[in-house]
């Protein structure tokens, strides 16, 4: 009786330890200490890259002065006048950064924008307008037209997602995709990124606070995040395939046996 009780207690302890270990594998930032300040990286803002598509709107107290900067002008050879279109059309115009990181703006010409944040580019455009004597009080709004990231693998909702903020972390991106499934490997999440024509892959350990210092903690436009499945997902898939195979085999055997019995009657 005592041996049975000892065996039962040992099994219960083993089950509890195994359960806790399995639960811990799903935790994020396991080594983080409560109430311990972490220095926030200042370089996490998304910066403009070649071939980015931007919407740029210039405003002023006198709207007529801002019209030429908001749309491409068309010259009428018959009247000798230029037509800049309506304000509604201007606000929707999309401009593409060229391969050299330059942006061609009406009136003021090309502006280098590679590596700048949205606010830095807006300030550069405003300064150019003021220096040219076109407007004394320009207000420039720069937005990304179609900035996206991709999240694939063991997440609840794989797919492409629009990014509407200047700073987005790996946790923000995974939250968009519904977080990792229970089968996702939290200690080895890949962030695939292209910089200056070079593709890089950074692996992040979501269970460690060291992730805060990774260059891939803040996501950039066109990044692809991949969460690989753990061994349990592979095993469950293999078991499912084997089960289907054996069920099919049994079904075939029953059909053959039935046919033989029918023929021998």
């Amino acid at each position: 009786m005592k041996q049975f009780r000892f065996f039962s207690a040992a099994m219960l302890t083993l089950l509890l330890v195994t359960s806790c270990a399995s639960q811990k594998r799903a935790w994020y930032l396991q080594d983080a200490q409560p109430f311990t300040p972490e220095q926030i990286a200042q370089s996490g803002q998304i910066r403009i890259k070649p071939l980015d598509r931007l919407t740029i709107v210039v405003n002023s107290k006198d709207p007529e002065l801002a019209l030429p900067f908001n749309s491409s002008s068309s010259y009428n050879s018959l009247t000798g006048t230029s037509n800049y279109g309506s304000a509604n059309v201007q606000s929707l115009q999309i401009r593409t950064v060229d391969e050299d990181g330059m942006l061609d703006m009406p009136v003021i010409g090309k502006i280098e924008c590679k590596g700048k944040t949205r606010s830095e580019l807006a300030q550069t455009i405003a300064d150019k307008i003021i220096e040219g004597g076109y407007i004394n009080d320009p207000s420039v709004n720069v937005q990304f037209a179609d900035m996206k990231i991709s999240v694939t693998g063991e997440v609840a909702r794989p797919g492409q997602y629009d990014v509407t903020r200047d700073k987005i972390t790996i946790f923000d991106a995974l939250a968009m995709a519904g977080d990792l499934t229970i089968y996702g490997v939290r200690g080895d999440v890949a962030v695939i990124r292209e910089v200056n024509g070079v593709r890089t892959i950074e692996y992040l350990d979501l269970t460690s606070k060291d992730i805060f210092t990774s260059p891939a903690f803040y996501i950039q436009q066109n990044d692809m995040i991949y969460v690989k499945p753990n061994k349990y997902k592979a095993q469950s898939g293999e078991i499912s395939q084997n089960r289907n195979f054996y069920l099919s085999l049994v079904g075939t055997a029953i059909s053959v046996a039935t046919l033989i019995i029918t023929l021998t009657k």
Side-chain angles (χ1 to χ4, degrees):
M1 188 65 178
K2 289 182 179 179
Q3 291 180 343
F4 176 75
R5 289 179 179 175
F6 175 78
F7 178 75
S8 299
M11 288 299 296
L12 180 60
T13 302
L14 181 62
L15 288 173
L16 289 173
V17 170
T18 304
S19 176
C20 290
S22 300
Q23 184 183 24
K24 190 174 182 180
R25 280 196 293 267
W27 293 350
Y28 297 135
L29 306 175
Q30 295 179 20
D31 57 354
Q33 298 298 319
F35 309 109
T36 302
E38 295 282 350
Q39 184 64 43
I40 298 176
Q42 298 300 315
S43 58
Q45 280 190 294
I46 292 175
R47 296 184 176 273
I48 298 167
K49 296 179 180 180
L51 304 182
D52 277 347
R53 286 153 50 86
L54 309 171
T55 58
I56 300 174
V57 179
V58 178
N59 291 304
S60 170
K61 291 180 180 177
D62 186 349
E64 293 296 324
L65 295 177
L67 285 179
F69 300 96
N70 289 325
S71 66
S72 299
S73 62
S74 58
Y75 185 77
N76 189 324
S77 59
L78 295 177
T79 62
T81 60
S82 295
N83 176 28
Y84 297 104
S86 67
N88 289 334
V89 174
Q90 296 157 10
S91 63
L92 297 176
Q93 185 167 2
I94 296 175
R95 306 185 189 281
T96 303
V97 180
D98 67 19
E99 292 85 350
D100 298 321
M102 304 295 290
L103 185 71
D104 196 4
M105 284 288 295
V107 183
I108 57 177
K110 289 195 173 184
I111 294 178
E112 184 176 0
C113 59
K114 179 182 176 182
K116 287 184 169 64
T117 63
R118 291 190 306 113
S119 59
E120 289 171 348
L121 177 58
Q123 187 60 55
T124 299
I125 294 173
D127 292 342
K128 285 279 187 180
I129 293 174
I130 294 173
E131 289 171 9
Y134 303 108
I135 306 176
N136 293 325
D137 62 341
S139 173
V140 182
N141 188 315
V142 178
Q143 297 288 340
F144 287 101
D146 52 1
M147 185 169 62
K148 297 180 182 296
I149 59 172
S150 300
V151 187
T152 61
E154 283 299 321
V155 292
R157 297 187 300 274
Q160 272 196 336
Y161 293 90
D162 293 318
V163 178
T164 57
R165 292 183 296 171
D166 290 326
K167 266 191 177 184
I168 176 172
T169 70
I170 181 68
F171 291 116
D172 294 326
L174 293 173
M176 291 179 186
D179 202 4
L180 279 69
T181 69
I182 195 64
Y183 296 113
V185 176
R186 283 148 173 78
D188 203 20
V189 175
V191 177
I192 303 164
R193 176 175 295 170
E194 291 187 8
V195 180
N196 298 326
V198 178
R199 183 177 291 109
T200 64
I201 303 178
E202 186 83 15
Y203 292 95
L204 302 179
D205 183 358
L206 304 184
T207 67
S208 173
K209 65 182 180 63
D210 292 339
I211 191 176
F212 295 133
T213 60
S214 169
F217 177 68
Y218 286 103
I219 301 303
Q220 297 182 12
Q221 63 270 50
N222 303 319
D223 279 358
M224 187 175 78
I225 301 164
Y226 172 66
V227 181
K228 64 183 181 181
N230 59 24
K231 60 181 180 180
Y232 302 106
K233 179 59 177 288
Q235 290 172 354
S236 65
E238 185 176 347
I239 291 171
S240 177
Q241 288 180 352
N242 291 339
R243 183 176 63 247
N244 292 336
F245 171 75
Y246 288 124
L247 287 174
S248 176
L249 188 62
V250 170
T252 302
I254 293 173
S255 299
V256 171
T258 303
L259 178 62
I260 292 173
I261 292 172
T262 302
L263 293 176
T264 56
K265 282 185 178 180

